[in-house]
Amino acid sequence: MSTGKVFPWAEAFVVAQDVAKKIEPHVVRSKCVGSLRRRRPYVGDIEFVVEPRIVDVDLLGTKGPDLASLRKEVESWSEWVKGGERMWQVRHVFGVPDLVLELWLCHPPAEWGSRVAIRTGPKELGMEAVTRLRRLGRPHDRGHIPGHPTPTEEEFFRLAELECRPPHQRDDYIADIEAWRD
């Protein structure tokens, strides 16, 4: 959800690089997604898919995502807006007025390929993929397709019977899909 203000790609990219450096010690991996990854000339927000480290979350050795250290880091250079177990939204990232950052958390049951493919967008492509998956008897739920691992975007799109195009070509891809329907 952007604030309505847009930022030139190059300006947002510099901030995204700083975000990646700051969160690196707190995650297994991260990927910048959304319009920034698709190289749109202007972006309304910065989005990342992040896989938090798995740690002991209680005295009995129960394993879970380390959301506490990641949240503490993010709050040290931004203003909290909202969030839960799957997505966080902050604003005023590194003091940049109206700049919104969304962190899409990827931990079980969510899978990396599903999260990255859908969050890279565009929205219409993600909706098309999820609709196709449902029609094929492979419903997408909370970032995963039960019984069908999606460790990569390629696997996610293969299961949806869609070509996995490079991110900068995905905005035009939805027009191609609509033309095939006609």
Side-chain angles (χ1 to χ4, degrees):
M1 177 187 116
S2 69
T3 61
K5 182 173 180 178
V6 294
F7 297 85
W9 183 90
E11 184 180 328
F13 183 73
V14 168
V15 175
Q17 287 179 306
D18 290 341
V19 168
K21 287 177 192 169
K22 290 286 193 180
I23 65 175
E24 184 179 16
H26 306 280
V27 300
V28 174
R29 58 184 164 170
S30 69
K31 182 173 286 288
C32 187
V33 293
S35 53
L36 196 59
R37 184 170 184 232
R38 293 193 326 271
R39 297 179 184 260
R40 304 298 304 151
Y42 294 92
V43 300
D45 59 11
I46 296 173
E47 295 179 73
F48 272 84
V49 172
V50 298
E51 182 180 344
R53 293 178 302 155
I54 301 298
V55 297
D56 290 340
V57 293
D58 62 25
L59 294 173
L60 302 175
T62 304
K63 303 285 186 192
D66 181 11
L67 301 181
S69 71
L70 179 59
R71 181 171 174 162
K72 184 177 179 180
E73 174 61 43
V74 171
E75 286 180 327
S76 74
W77 38 261
S78 65
E79 179 184 310
W80 189 261
V81 175
K82 65 180 177 179
E85 235 182 80
R86 302 287 169 199
M87 188 277 282
W88 297 347
Q89 186 181 80
V90 298
R91 65 180 173 198
H92 307 308
V93 180
F94 302 120
V96 178
D98 300 320
L99 182 57
V100 173
L101 168 68
E102 291 182 347
L103 294 175
W104 294 89
L105 307 168
C106 185
H107 53 83
E111 293 214 25
W112 188 257
S114 292
R115 262 294 186 242
V116 170
I118 288 176
R119 296 313 321 165
T120 294
K123 178 182 175 182
E124 297 82 7
L125 180 56
M127 290 170 46
E128 177 69 21
V130 169
T131 299
R132 284 173 177 246
L133 287 164
R134 188 175 37 246
R135 284 188 198 138
L136 292 164
R138 304 173 185 142
H140 187 266
D141 179 42
R142 295 180 355 157
H144 79 293
I145 305 165
H148 300 278
T150 55
T152 65
E153 288 179 281
E154 291 80 9
E155 185 60 18
F156 173 80
F157 284 116
R158 186 190 71 73
L159 288 168
E161 297 183 357
L162 288 167
E163 178 185 351
C164 183
R165 290 195 179 172
H168 68 279
Q169 293 178 3
R170 292 182 189 176
D171 288 297
D172 296 332
Y173 189 26
I174 197 66
D176 292 346
I177 292 169
E178 289 171 356
W180 296 333
R181 283 193 200 129
D182 293 342

